[in-house]
Amino acid sequence: MNGESSVILGTLVIYKLLLVGIGVWASRRSGSEGDFLIGGRGLGAWVAGLSYAATSSSAWVLLGFSGFVYAVMQNGAITARGAFGQADREANTPMAADTRFRIASMTKPITTAA
């Protein structure tokens, strides 16, 4: 294992321990399992939104974000669409508006909207 890999591994281990520590601390402050899982229903809209954003962005960072595709719809019609980044970093293939993705964590926005 080279030096860069050791730093990455160490950072991930520290990050995971910090998350577990925060979870243990929060669980001790909660009255029940339900309170722990839903924050005692006391989370504001901003906190819930930031939590969602952090969850989905951390998944992309962990997977190695290389680009994205977007579309803007108005009145049921696509008014703008585009792509940014690379579809395949190793082959240096650019992202296209019709690039297909594995589903990964893409169901989170759908679940959140529902």
Side-chain angles (χ1 to χ4, degrees), residues 43-62:
L43 297 177
W46 280 100
V47 174
L50 289 172
S51 175
Y52 163 73
T55 300
S56 73
S57 68
S58 67
W60 286 116
V61 170
L62 187 62

Side-chain angles (χ1 to χ4, degrees), residues 34-77:
D35 274 349
F36 174 74
L37 294 174
I38 59 174
R41 296 205 187 270
L43 297 177
W46 280 100
V47 174
L50 289 172
S51 175
Y52 163 73
T55 300
S56 73
S57 68
S58 67
W60 286 116
V61 170
L62 187 62
L63 291 173
F65 176 80
S66 63
F68 62 88
V69 174
Y70 66 90
V72 178
M73 291 187 72
Q74 292 179 332
N75 300 325

Side-chain angles (χ1 to χ4, degrees), residues 1 11 13 16 19 22-23 28 56 97-98 103 110:
M1 186 180 314
T11 302
V13 168
K16 185 59 84 174
L19 289 179
I22 290 171
R28 290 187 177 159
S56 73
D98 61 349
I103 193 161
I110 296 166

